Amino acid sequence: MIELALPQGRLTVLAVGAHPDDIEIGCGGTLLALSDARDVALSLVVATGSSARQAEAATAAKTLGASADDLHLLGLADGRLPAQWAELKQALEDLARSVRPDVVLAPSRADAHQDHRLLAELVTTVWRDALVLHYEIPKWDGDLGRPTHYVPLTDEQVQRKLDLLYGSFSSQHGRDWWDEELFRGLLRMRGVECRARYAEAFVVAKAVIDLGRRP
């Protein structure tokens, strides 16, 4: 497969999630791989979550390499983001005054969960000049789609992602969908699709391709 490269130099990355653990499930491996390969300035936004869940998000953010100042916890009501459209939009617009990312990682615009879907739609209107990678979150709704872009992961990066999920989000361990088989299985399937052992997959709606110059 032909590889498309991100710009050289220090990369400013913003990852947004509707709930604590969305970012880590959807693109945790990619964030770990980026930190392995590049000089990255990482910011995280989590729109909802109780105080206990926000504490879990803070633990995960530290593992991903984000400082406390780079984690933005909005504290909106879980499952009710469409009813808080104005508050969410304003919070993102306020953040955009200081955070100008090259790359934004966000939920899928086709996600069946209303919180995920709304956040995905708003991100593309707030950060219009960034490359937006829409990640996927496996769940009961069965809404996984057809990705357009992939980030291959090594065995070691996959294990670190699993360790991140299990080490940071103890409140989720009892859920019937929370297990290593699910997380690793999806990574393995996406790896097959891009001729890698493991991968995280994304949908990109808009991208500009630099064709290069004659030598």
Side-chain angles (χ1 to χ4, degrees):
M1 299 182 72
I2 295 176
E3 295 182 352
L4 301 177
L6 294 173
Q8 295 300 309
R10 193 166 199 250
L11 203 64
T12 302
V13 177
L14 172 65
V16 300
H19 316 102
D21 77 26
D22 285 354
I23 292 170
E24 293 75 15
I25 292 172
C27 62
T30 295
L31 294 177
L32 291 169
L34 272 172
S35 67
D36 289 344
R38 305 285 299 267
D39 179 14
V40 175
L42 175 63
S43 296
L44 305 173
V45 176
V46 179
T48 73
S50 65
S51 58
R53 293 281 279 140
Q54 288 183 0
E56 291 181 333
T59 297
K62 184 176 180 180
T63 303
L64 289 170
S67 70
D69 290 339
D70 293 323
L71 173 62
H72 305 275
L73 301 169
L74 306 186
L76 299 175
D78 187 351
R80 301 290 186 270
L81 285 186
Q84 303 166 93
W85 187 99
E87 294 91 333
L88 178 58
K89 174 72 168 178
Q90 188 61 58
L92 297 179
E93 293 282 6
D94 291 344
L95 183 62
R97 296 191 182 98
S98 58
V99 178
R100 299 176 178 84
D102 303 302
V103 179
V104 177
L105 298 113
S108 168
R109 298 178 72 172
D111 196 297
H113 194 295
Q114 67 277 2
D115 289 355
H116 300 172
R117 189 168 60 249
L118 176 60
L119 185 59
E121 293 170 352
L122 288 180
V123 159
T124 59
T125 69
V126 174
W127 287 282
R128 295 180 182 272
D129 295 326
L131 173 66
V132 181
L133 304 176
H134 293 280
Y135 58 75
E136 57 187 353
I137 301 175
K139 54 186 170 302
W140 175 85
D141 303 273
D143 58 359
L144 296 180
R146 181 172 294 175
T148 61
H149 293 67
Y150 299 84
V151 175
L153 301 175
T154 66
D155 289 6
E156 186 267 344
Q157 288 163 347
V158 168
Q159 189 58 55
R160 285 164 59 199
K161 171 175 176 167
L162 295 174
D163 291 344
L164 168 66
L165 289 169
Y166 275 87
S168 301
F169 300 103
S170 59
S171 68
Q172 304 303 293
H173 290 184
R175 295 188 179 274
D176 58 5
W177 54 268
W178 186 280
D179 60 53
E180 180 176 336
E181 185 176 12
L182 171 66
F183 298 134
R184 189 183 292 273
L186 180 57
L187 296 171
R188 178 70 184 110
M189 182 180 74
R190 295 314 191 192
V192 168
E193 295 173 355
C194 68
R195 298 190 182 278
R197 177 67 180 171
Y198 296 108
E200 286 180 339
F202 303 89
V203 171
V204 176
K206 295 175 87 174
V208 174
I209 298 175
D210 183 351
L211 301 180
R213 303 290 185 271
R214 288 183 181 273

